[in-house]
Amino acid sequence: MLFRRSGISFADWIRTWICVIVASFFSQASPVSAQDPLQSDIGSLVVEPFGQEVFREGYVTIRWSGVDAPGGYRVTDEDGRLVYAGRQPQFFVSGLSDGQHAFQVTAVDQEGRVVAKSEQPVSVRVEHWPLAYAFWAFGTGLTVVVVFVAVIVWGHRATRTRATRTRATGTRATGTRVGGDAS
């Protein structure tokens, strides 16, 4: 009854929420690297991870105060792969597995020559949350969703039952019979 007044069916409402939950999961679980933030701070080339010493979520932002590098900055990982090339003195990487990860930052001029380099690679340690914690958080969320859906279904059925009973007895909400006489 509630959904019919607004023109949204209960099934459409449930499908919408399932799509939102699935999209949220995939947006959090998919790895992303080398997003270009919008801050610029020029200075000496000192590199440091932004945040805590141990990263629990598998993503990290690394910032540095840079030299004037008209060609931009390049960041390579411990395997020598280029993970960032841009003009902003910071980068974000996600999808990191547990363990130590090292990143080397270099500043280059317009011709691509190295102008400055971090003295040593910045090292970050990733230790994801324990699996028991993840299951506890998932269980809590699942419980909230199940209770929420149960309350909606119960309310929908109670409203439908009340409306069916009212039609079967032929009474209005005021208690008078439909089509009855005024005697």
Side-chain angles (χ1 to χ4, degrees), residues 119-149:
E119 292 181 20
Q120 57 186 346
V122 62
S123 182
V124 295
R125 189 172 74 202
V126 175
E127 291 179 17
H128 288 92
W129 294 103
L131 191 58
Y133 180 79
F135 280 128
W136 176 83
F138 176 76
T140 302
L142 180 63
T143 302
V144 169
V145 168
V146 167
V147 168
F148 185 68
V149 169

Short mmCIF file of all heavy atoms in Angstrom, two decimals, residues 119-149:
data_model
loop_
_atom_site.label_atom_id
_atom_site.label_comp_id
_atom_site.label_asym_id
_atom_site.label_seq_id
_atom_site.Cartn_x
_atom_site.Cartn_y
_atom_site.Cartn_z
N GLU A 119 66.11 10.37 -1.50
CA GLU A 119 67.36 9.72 -1.09
C GLU A 119 67.20 8.21 -0.95
O GLU A 119 68.09 7.46 -1.31
CB GLU A 119 67.85 10.33 0.23
CG GLU A 119 68.30 11.76 0.06
CD GLU A 119 68.80 12.35 1.36
OE1 GLU A 119 69.14 11.59 2.28
OE2 GLU A 119 68.84 13.58 1.44
N GLN A 120 66.09 7.79 -0.40
CA GLN A 120 65.79 6.37 -0.30
C GLN A 120 64.31 6.15 -0.55
O GLN A 120 63.52 7.07 -0.36
CB GLN A 120 66.20 5.82 1.07
CG GLN A 120 65.56 6.55 2.23
CD GLN A 120 66.11 6.05 3.54
OE1 GLN A 120 66.76 5.01 3.61
NE2 GLN A 120 65.85 6.77 4.60
N PRO A 121 63.94 4.98 -1.00
CA PRO A 121 62.51 4.74 -1.26
C PRO A 121 61.69 4.86 0.02
O PRO A 121 62.17 4.52 1.11
CB PRO A 121 62.47 3.30 -1.78
CG PRO A 121 63.87 2.99 -2.19
CD PRO A 121 64.76 3.84 -1.34
N VAL A 122 60.48 5.37 -0.12
CA VAL A 122 59.58 5.42 1.02
C VAL A 122 58.96 4.04 1.15
O VAL A 122 58.57 3.41 0.16
CB VAL A 122 58.50 6.52 0.86
CG1 VAL A 122 57.62 6.26 -0.32
CG2 VAL A 122 57.67 6.63 2.11
N SER A 123 58.93 3.54 2.37
CA SER A 123 58.44 2.20 2.61
C SER A 123 57.17 2.28 3.44
O SER A 123 57.10 3.01 4.43
CB SER A 123 59.50 1.39 3.36
OG SER A 123 59.06 0.08 3.57
N VAL A 124 56.14 1.54 3.01
CA VAL A 124 54.89 1.50 3.75
C VAL A 124 54.57 0.04 4.08
O VAL A 124 54.88 -0.86 3.31
CB VAL A 124 53.71 2.12 2.95
CG1 VAL A 124 53.94 3.60 2.74
CG2 VAL A 124 53.49 1.44 1.63
N ARG A 125 53.98 -0.17 5.23
CA ARG A 125 53.62 -1.51 5.67
C ARG A 125 52.11 -1.64 5.66
O ARG A 125 51.40 -0.82 6.25
CB ARG A 125 54.16 -1.79 7.06
CG ARG A 125 54.00 -3.25 7.46
CD ARG A 125 54.69 -3.55 8.75
NE ARG A 125 53.90 -2.97 9.83
CZ ARG A 125 54.38 -2.67 11.01
NH1 ARG A 125 55.64 -2.85 11.29
NH2 ARG A 125 53.60 -2.17 11.94
N VAL A 126 51.61 -2.67 4.99
CA VAL A 126 50.17 -2.93 4.92
C VAL A 126 49.87 -4.20 5.69
O VAL A 126 50.50 -5.24 5.47
CB VAL A 126 49.71 -3.09 3.45
CG1 VAL A 126 48.25 -3.46 3.39
CG2 VAL A 126 49.97 -1.82 2.67
N GLU A 127 48.97 -4.10 6.64
CA GLU A 127 48.47 -5.25 7.40
C GLU A 127 46.96 -5.12 7.44
O GLU A 127 46.42 -4.34 8.23
CB GLU A 127 49.02 -5.27 8.82
CG GLU A 127 50.49 -5.57 8.92
CD GLU A 127 51.01 -5.54 10.35
OE1 GLU A 127 50.19 -5.60 11.30
OE2 GLU A 127 52.23 -5.43 10.52
N HIS A 128 46.27 -5.86 6.58
CA HIS A 128 44.82 -5.77 6.52
C HIS A 128 44.19 -6.21 7.84
O HIS A 128 44.82 -6.93 8.62
CB HIS A 128 44.28 -6.62 5.38
CG HIS A 128 44.55 -6.02 4.04
ND1 HIS A 128 45.68 -6.32 3.32
CD2 HIS A 128 43.87 -5.12 3.29
CE1 HIS A 128 45.67 -5.65 2.18
NE2 HIS A 128 44.58 -4.90 2.15
N TRP A 129 42.94 -5.80 8.03
CA TRP A 129 42.22 -6.20 9.23
C TRP A 129 42.11 -7.73 9.26
O TRP A 129 42.02 -8.36 8.23
CB TRP A 129 40.82 -5.59 9.22
CG TRP A 129 40.83 -4.11 9.33
CD1 TRP A 129 40.63 -3.21 8.33
CD2 TRP A 129 41.07 -3.34 10.50
NE1 TRP A 129 40.73 -1.93 8.80
CE2 TRP A 129 41.00 -1.98 10.14
CE3 TRP A 129 41.34 -3.66 11.83
CZ2 TRP A 129 41.19 -0.96 11.05
CZ3 TRP A 129 41.51 -2.63 12.73
CH2 TRP A 129 41.44 -1.31 12.34
N PRO A 130 42.11 -8.32 10.45
CA PRO A 130 41.99 -9.78 10.55
C PRO A 130 40.67 -10.26 9.93
O PRO A 130 39.67 -9.54 9.94
CB PRO A 130 42.00 -10.05 12.06
CG PRO A 130 42.52 -8.82 12.69
CD PRO A 130 42.26 -7.69 11.76
N LEU A 131 40.67 -11.48 9.43
CA LEU A 131 39.49 -12.04 8.78
C LEU A 131 38.31 -12.13 9.75
O LEU A 131 37.16 -11.90 9.36
CB LEU A 131 39.82 -13.41 8.21
CG LEU A 131 38.78 -14.02 7.28
CD1 LEU A 131 38.52 -13.09 6.10
CD2 LEU A 131 39.26 -15.37 6.78
N ALA A 132 38.58 -12.42 11.01
CA ALA A 132 37.50 -12.50 12.00
C ALA A 132 36.79 -11.15 12.12
O ALA A 132 35.56 -11.09 12.25
CB ALA A 132 38.06 -12.92 13.36
N TYR A 133 37.54 -10.06 12.09
CA TYR A 133 36.93 -8.73 12.15
C TYR A 133 36.07 -8.47 10.92
O TYR A 133 34.98 -7.92 11.02
CB TYR A 133 38.02 -7.66 12.27
CG TYR A 133 37.48 -6.27 12.35
CD1 TYR A 133 36.97 -5.78 13.54
CD2 TYR A 133 37.45 -5.44 11.23
CE1 TYR A 133 36.45 -4.50 13.61
CE2 TYR A 133 36.92 -4.17 11.30
CZ TYR A 133 36.43 -3.70 12.49
OH TYR A 133 35.91 -2.44 12.55
N ALA A 134 36.56 -8.88 9.76
CA ALA A 134 35.79 -8.69 8.53
C ALA A 134 34.48 -9.47 8.59
O ALA A 134 33.43 -8.96 8.20
CB ALA A 134 36.62 -9.12 7.32
N PHE A 135 34.53 -10.72 9.07
CA PHE A 135 33.30 -11.51 9.18
C PHE A 135 32.35 -10.90 10.20
O PHE A 135 31.14 -10.91 10.02
CB PHE A 135 33.61 -12.96 9.53
CG PHE A 135 34.05 -13.77 8.35
CD1 PHE A 135 35.21 -14.51 8.39
CD2 PHE A 135 33.28 -13.80 7.19
CE1 PHE A 135 35.61 -15.25 7.29
CE2 PHE A 135 33.67 -14.54 6.09
CZ PHE A 135 34.84 -15.27 6.14
N TRP A 136 32.88 -10.37 11.30
CA TRP A 136 32.04 -9.72 12.30
C TRP A 136 31.35 -8.51 11.69
O TRP A 136 30.14 -8.32 11.87
CB TRP A 136 32.89 -9.30 13.50
CG TRP A 136 32.09 -8.54 14.51
CD1 TRP A 136 31.29 -9.04 15.49
CD2 TRP A 136 32.01 -7.11 14.62
NE1 TRP A 136 30.72 -8.02 16.19
CE2 TRP A 136 31.13 -6.82 15.68
CE3 TRP A 136 32.58 -6.06 13.92
CZ2 TRP A 136 30.82 -5.53 16.06
CZ3 TRP A 136 32.26 -4.78 14.29
CH2 TRP A 136 31.40 -4.52 15.35
N ALA A 137 32.09 -7.68 10.96
CA ALA A 137 31.50 -6.49 10.33
C ALA A 137 30.47 -6.90 9.29
O ALA A 137 29.38 -6.30 9.20
CB ALA A 137 32.60 -5.64 9.70
N PHE A 138 30.78 -7.92 8.49
CA PHE A 138 29.82 -8.40 7.49
C PHE A 138 28.56 -8.94 8.17
O PHE A 138 27.45 -8.66 7.75
CB PHE A 138 30.46 -9.49 6.63
CG PHE A 138 29.50 -10.09 5.64
CD1 PHE A 138 29.14 -9.40 4.49
CD2 PHE A 138 28.95 -11.34 5.87
CE1 PHE A 138 28.25 -9.95 3.59
CE2 PHE A 138 28.06 -11.89 4.98
CZ PHE A 138 27.70 -11.20 3.83
N GLY A 139 28.73 -9.72 9.24
CA GLY A 139 27.58 -10.28 9.96
C GLY A 139 26.71 -9.21 10.56
O GLY A 139 25.48 -9.29 10.53
N THR A 140 27.34 -8.19 11.12
CA THR A 140 26.57 -7.07 11.69
C THR A 140 25.77 -6.36 10.61
O THR A 140 24.59 -6.08 10.78
CB THR A 140 27.52 -6.08 12.39
OG1 THR A 140 28.25 -6.78 13.41
CG2 THR A 140 26.77 -4.93 13.00
N GLY A 141 26.41 -6.08 9.49
CA GLY A 141 25.71 -5.42 8.39
C GLY A 141 24.58 -6.28 7.84
O GLY A 141 23.48 -5.79 7.55
N LEU A 142 24.83 -7.58 7.70
CA LEU A 142 23.80 -8.49 7.21
C LEU A 142 22.62 -8.54 8.16
O LEU A 142 21.47 -8.52 7.73
CB LEU A 142 24.39 -9.89 7.01
CG LEU A 142 23.43 -10.95 6.49
CD1 LEU A 142 22.94 -10.58 5.09
CD2 LEU A 142 24.09 -12.31 6.49
N THR A 143 22.89 -8.56 9.46
CA THR A 143 21.82 -8.57 10.45
C THR A 143 20.96 -7.31 10.34
O THR A 143 19.73 -7.39 10.36
CB THR A 143 22.41 -8.69 11.88
OG1 THR A 143 23.19 -9.88 11.94
CG2 THR A 143 21.32 -8.71 12.92
N VAL A 144 21.59 -6.17 10.20
CA VAL A 144 20.85 -4.92 10.06
C VAL A 144 19.98 -4.94 8.81
O VAL A 144 18.80 -4.57 8.85
CB VAL A 144 21.82 -3.71 10.04
CG1 VAL A 144 21.11 -2.44 9.62
CG2 VAL A 144 22.47 -3.54 11.40
N VAL A 145 20.52 -5.42 7.70
CA VAL A 145 19.75 -5.47 6.45
C VAL A 145 18.58 -6.44 6.58
O VAL A 145 17.46 -6.13 6.18
CB VAL A 145 20.66 -5.86 5.26
CG1 VAL A 145 19.85 -6.19 4.03
CG2 VAL A 145 21.63 -4.73 4.96
N VAL A 146 18.81 -7.62 7.16
CA VAL A 146 17.73 -8.61 7.31
C VAL A 146 16.63 -8.07 8.20
O VAL A 146 15.43 -8.21 7.88
CB VAL A 146 18.29 -9.95 7.84
CG1 VAL A 146 17.19 -10.88 8.30
CG2 VAL A 146 19.14 -10.63 6.78
N VAL A 147 16.98 -7.46 9.33
CA VAL A 147 15.97 -6.87 10.22
C VAL A 147 15.21 -5.76 9.50
O VAL A 147 13.97 -5.68 9.58
CB VAL A 147 16.61 -6.36 11.53
CG1 VAL A 147 15.65 -5.51 12.33
CG2 VAL A 147 17.11 -7.53 12.36
N PHE A 148 15.89 -4.93 8.77
CA PHE A 148 15.27 -3.84 8.03
C PHE A 148 14.26 -4.37 7.01
O PHE A 148 13.13 -3.92 6.93
CB PHE A 148 16.36 -3.01 7.34
CG PHE A 148 15.87 -1.79 6.64
CD1 PHE A 148 15.36 -0.71 7.34
CD2 PHE A 148 15.94 -1.71 5.26
CE1 PHE A 148 14.92 0.41 6.69
CE2 PHE A 148 15.49 -0.59 4.59
CZ PHE A 148 14.98 0.48 5.31
N VAL A 149 14.66 -5.37 6.23
CA VAL A 149 13.77 -5.96 5.23
C VAL A 149 12.60 -6.66 5.92
O VAL A 149 11.45 -6.56 5.46
CB VAL A 149 14.55 -6.93 4.30
CG1 VAL A 149 13.60 -7.74 3.43
CG2 VAL A 149 15.52 -6.14 3.44
#
